[in-house]
């Protein structure tokens, strides 16, 4: 078995969402994987249980960045959209095809069990420790993001973020508005923390 990272989640209050909103929300989760691109290696995304999803990541050091991107992508689509994210790192076997639902191993079990037990925080790590503590703080900070702040965070959380001038043009706002949104979202501190996590992994 390989050492991989698994993120398992489900949408919060999904029964209130229309089928179109549900599809848009789960597409936002999938798009977060694409935002990081090939730099993070192979990722696999699957929908499950109607309002659920799962991602397998073979470069675990990027798990915190991916969790934040998922939060940003969802909040950017709609301020009412949120998901629980249960993260585990460990041994697992991925299928040869694209069907992640055929994967197995202790890491998948740990991630699923954490999601089932998750109350209060909406982002948590099965391994606890320093990474779990950092994710708890990321969860608290990012739950306060406005839709505008989340939109600003999306391009800046990529591994190769654009300049703020390019990001503001991409989003369709002024550079001053982008800078204000990033400051309100805690971007600089979050980026420093995420970079420290990735460099120490």
């Amino acid at each position: 078995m390989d050492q991989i990272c698994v993120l398992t989640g489900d949408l919060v209050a999904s029964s209130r969402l229309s089928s179109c909103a549900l599809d848009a929300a789960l597409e936002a989760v999938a798009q977060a994987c694409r935002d990081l691109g090939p730099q993070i290696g192979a990722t696999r995304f699957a929908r499950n249980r109607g309002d659920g999803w799962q991602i397998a990541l073979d470069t675990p050091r990027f798990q915190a960045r991916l969790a934040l991107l998922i939060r940003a992508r969802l909040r950017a689509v709609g301020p009412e959209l949120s998901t629980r994210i249960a993260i585990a790192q460990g041994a697992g076997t991925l299928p040869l095809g694209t069907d992640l639902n055929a994967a197995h191993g202790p890491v998948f079990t740990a991630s699923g069990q954490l999601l089932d037990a998750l109350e209060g925080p909406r982002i948590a790590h099965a391994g606890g420790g320093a990474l779990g503590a950092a994710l708890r703080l990321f969860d608290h900070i990012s739950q306060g993001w406005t839709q505008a702040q989340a939109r600003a965070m999306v391009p800046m959380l990529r591994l190769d973020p654009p300049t703020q001038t390019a990001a503001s043009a991409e989003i369709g706002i002024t550079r001053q508005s982008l800078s204000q949104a990033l400051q309100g979202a805690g971007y600089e501190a979050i980026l420093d923390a995420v970079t420290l996590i990735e460099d120490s992994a």
Side-chain angles (χ1 to χ4, degrees):
M1 290 187 180
D2 297 322
Q3 289 294 309
I4 60 176
C5 177
V6 174
L7 293 78
T8 306
D10 55 12
L11 299 177
V12 176
S14 61
S15 61
R16 303 176 188 172
L17 301 177
S18 67
S19 58
C20 289
L22 182 65
D23 288 343
L26 290 171
E27 172 56 25
V29 176
Q31 182 60 49
C33 291
R34 297 193 289 269
D35 285 335
L36 293 184
Q39 299 101 316
I40 66 169
T43 59
R44 308 215 190 167
F45 169 83
R47 293 177 62 163
N48 56 44
R49 300 191 291 186
D51 64 350
W53 56 269
Q54 192 166 65
I55 295 169
L57 178 68
D58 68 359
T59 46
R61 70 191 187 102
F62 296 116
Q63 57 192 285
R65 186 184 296 263
L66 179 55
L68 283 165
L69 260 170
I70 292 169
R71 169 66 55 80
R73 272 287 178 188
L74 277 170
R75 186 63 55 86
V77 172
E80 77 285 358
L81 297 179
S82 184
T83 185
R84 299 189 302 159
I85 305 174
I87 307 172
Q89 180 177 335
T93 299
L94 295 173
L96 294 177
T98 59
D99 183 13
L100 185 56
N101 292 313
H104 60 90
V107 67
F108 290 94
T109 302
S111 181
Q113 288 178 342
L114 177 60
L115 182 67
D116 290 340
L118 195 57
E119 295 181 3
R122 292 185 178 172
I123 301 175
H125 200 287
L131 180 56
L135 285 165
R136 178 68 181 92
L137 288 173
F138 290 157
D139 176 48
H140 176 73
I141 294 168
S142 62
Q143 282 203 50
W145 287 346
T146 66
Q147 189 173 22
Q149 289 169 348
R151 285 175 177 162
M153 289 293 287
V154 166
M156 305 308 292
L157 282 170
R158 296 172 190 157
L159 284 168
D160 53 350
T163 64
Q164 290 196 16
T165 299
S168 60
E170 177 183 328
I171 299 169
I173 60 176
T174 66
R175 191 189 181 288
Q176 181 180 11
S177 295
L178 178 79
S179 180
Q180 290 174 343
L182 291 175
Q183 184 176 5
Y187 169 67
E188 289 189 8
I190 287 173
L191 182 63
D192 285 348
V194 167
T195 302
L196 285 168
I197 289 169
E198 292 171 355
D199 288 347
S200 64

